[in-house]
Amino acid sequence: MSIIDTRSAGKDPNRGSIASRPTGSRAPSGGEHGRAAWPIVATREIVARLTDKNFLISTGFTLVLLVGVFAFQAFMASTTSTTRVAVSTPAATQIVQSTGSSGIPGLSSTSIEATPAADDAAARAALADGSADAWLHEQGGAWVLTGKDEPGGQLQATIGSAVNQHVLVANAKAAGTSMDRLAAGSQMRVDALQGQTDSEGDTIAQIAGFVFAMLFYFASLMFGMAIATSVVEEKQSRIIEILATAIPIRQLLVGKVLGNSVLALGQMILFVGVSLIGLSFTQYGSFLPRLAGPSAWFLVFFLVGFVALACVWAVCGSLASRSEDLQATTMPMTLLLVGALFLGIMASGTTKVIASYVPIASVVTMPARLLDGSAAWWEPIASLAITLGCAAALILLAERIYRRSLLQTGGRLSLRQALKVQE
């Protein structure tokens, strides 16, 4: 049942046309209907987005991309190929058998297998007919790896290392010593003033921080522009004048913000959850405990930051009178998001620590600090408290500007003009 009578919505018998009200006139309160109007508005926003094909397609595409990346990595990690190396002497056989396997860690594995040949001619024939991929032999006092085409770089490196080790052992034995004596004192130990480092874990943390920054940027931009576009379309079509007769403008803002915040948070939970589940099927599954805590903190920071930004996006829409004005009114928000993205990706040292306490930027930088282990347990709590305080102040200011500018249809407003409008 509609709460709006469209036949008389544009008229007020005592005040005349809403569109002709003088600047600063207050919108009707909406009576009993308006007090509980925000759930209706929020539900409308959620339903509208969930039935929007573009939203569903973009979400589905992102999920398919995430699943595909992890599925591909898991498949490649389980893929093993065999490279056959023809050998015709015991020394060559020993060298090939000592190589074990090679490949790209985490992506593929290649085992190297010795293929016996009666002599050099048989080894050459095996290489020619494809029953061997390479041929290891001695020529002129040096070891040679021959292939039908030039052997691959990974195979060259693996066989070359095995040949080098074999020759050193043989030379040491000929000199009446051993490799242990020759190598004594040549081993370099790695140390760090701040303890041992986990280079692989640090790489995973950096990648996760980059992903958090990108998710925050795209989600804020996509949902924020949707809010701004929705506001300006209602304003441009004059539907807002009808809505304002039954729903307090404050309730309209609350409904829009909460509806889109629920969708944005739900999408983030979906993406982060799928990513963590996908990671468990790869060789990096052992890093899940390290990523789980920062991921949860990211979702909390994202919710607080997005609610504040959603109010500002609504203000950007209310300052415009036409869709063409949105590029100008939303430009500051776009630059703010780009700045937060670059801080999350490039900030380091003291700059990163300071940024983790700056509202909005902290949505990206504090989870990044939790990932690299540079933040104490109390720091995200303190940063979240600051972000909450700033978000509350920003919401109050944004709500004031939104109410004052939403019914002004004479052209694009500046912030100064909106603040001067009398309620």
Side-chain angles (χ1 to χ4, degrees):
M1 181 178 67
S2 174
I3 63 174
I4 303 172
D5 183 355
T6 56
R7 292 173 298 178
S8 59
K11 287 282 187 179
D12 185 319
N14 297 322
R15 302 184 185 182
S17 172
I18 293 176
S20 63
R21 288 181 195 162
T23 298
S25 61
R26 183 186 296 273
S29 65
E32 294 297 324
H33 294 288
R35 294 177 185 175
W38 67 264
I40 300 175
V41 179
T43 302
R44 183 195 66 172
E45 292 291 323
I46 293 173
V47 172
R49 295 290 284 170
L50 291 180
T51 54
D52 180 32
K53 290 183 179 180
N54 292 330
F55 174 75
L56 295 177
I57 290 173
S58 64
T59 302
F61 176 78
T62 304
L63 286 176
V64 170
L65 184 63
L66 286 173
V67 172
V69 167
F70 288 111
F72 175 76
Q73 189 174 39
F75 171 76
M76 292 301 296
S78 63
T79 301
T80 301
S81 59
T82 301
T83 299
R84 296 159 298 180
V85 179
V87 290
S88 57
T89 63
T93 302
Q94 182 181 358
I95 291 173
V96 173
Q97 289 177 343
S98 69
T99 57
S101 62
S102 64
I104 302 174
L107 292 180
S108 62
S109 178
T110 302
S111 62
I112 301 176
E113 182 181 277
T115 301
D119 51 31
D120 288 353
R124 186 183 295 275
L127 184 62
D129 63 23
S131 57
D133 302 301
W135 170 33
L136 180 65
H137 58 103
E138 285 186 282
Q139 182 178 341
W143 287 97
V144 179
L145 182 66
T146 303
K148 204 171 205 179
D149 297 314
E150 183 177 351
Q154 190 68 42
L155 180 63
Q156 291 184 42
T158 304
I159 295 292
S161 178
V163 167
N164 181 65
Q165 185 68 19
H166 174 81
V167 171
L168 287 177
V169 170
N171 290 343
K173 186 175 181 180
T177 184
S178 65
M179 279 298 298
D180 291 337
R181 290 183 179 180
L182 287 177
S186 65
Q187 298 291 332
M188 182 181 69
R189 185 169 61 88
V190 178
D191 200 0
L193 291 177
Q194 298 181 354
Q196 295 182 347
T197 59
D198 180 6
S199 58
E200 192 174 40
D202 291 342
T203 300
I204 295 296
Q206 290 175 0
I207 294 174
F210 174 80
V211 171
F212 286 164
M214 295 301 296
L215 285 176
F216 174 68
Y217 173 76
F218 284 114
S220 299
L221 189 62
M222 180 178 69
F223 283 97
M225 283 301 299
I227 293 172
T229 301
S230 172
V231 171
V232 77
E233 285 178 350
E234 291 174 352
K235 186 175 179 179
Q236 185 174 359
S237 64
R238 313 302 280 264
I239 292 177
I240 188 59
E241 298 175 0
I242 301 175
L243 293 174
T245 62
I247 303 175
I249 294 177
R250 180 184 288 108
Q251 295 280 323
L252 186 61
L253 174 63
V254 171
K256 283 184 176 294
V257 169
L258 291 184
N260 283 276
S261 296
V262 168
L263 285 171
L265 180 62
Q267 193 179 69
M268 283 301 101
I269 292 175
L270 184 63
F271 290 162
V272 172
V274 168
S275 297
L276 293 178
I277 293 173
L279 191 67
S280 67
F281 289 97
T282 69
Q283 70 168 19
Y284 303 111
S286 59
F287 293 103
L288 278 178
R290 178 173 177 176
L291 297 176
S295 297
W297 274 110
F298 167 71
L299 293 174
V300 174
F301 273 92
F302 173 83
L303 176 61
V304 176
F306 181 82
V307 169
L309 290 180
C311 291
V312 181
W313 279 109
V315 168
C316 293
S318 69
L319 293 176
S321 290
R322 304 175 304 160
S323 300
E324 293 79 0
D325 297 332
L326 278 180
Q327 183 175 1
T329 59
T330 59
M331 182 60 69
M333 285 297 296
T334 304
L335 294 178
L336 175 64
L337 290 176
V338 171
L341 175 66
F342 275 98
L343 275 176
I345 295 175
M346 304 180 64
S348 60
T350 304
T351 302
K352 192 173 185 178
V353 173
I354 295 174
S356 66
Y357 288 95
V358 177
I360 305 304
S362 61
V363 177
V364 174
T365 49
M366 182 54 76
R369 289 189 61 209
L370 290 170
L371 284 167
D372 62 29
S374 63
W377 66 269
W378 56 267
E379 291 192 72
I381 300 175
S383 177
L384 184 61
I386 295 173
T387 304
L388 280 169
C390 179
L394 197 59
I395 289 170
L396 291 175
L397 177 62
E399 186 266 343
R400 180 182 177 186
I401 300 173
Y402 180 81
R403 284 191 290 109
R404 293 185 174 198
S405 60
L406 193 60
L407 294 177
Q408 308 304 313
T409 57
R412 177 163 60 92
L413 296 176
S414 66
L415 281 175
R416 179 177 297 180
Q417 291 171 326
L419 289 171
K420 287 181 179 181
V421 173
Q422 297 297 318
E423 295 188 79

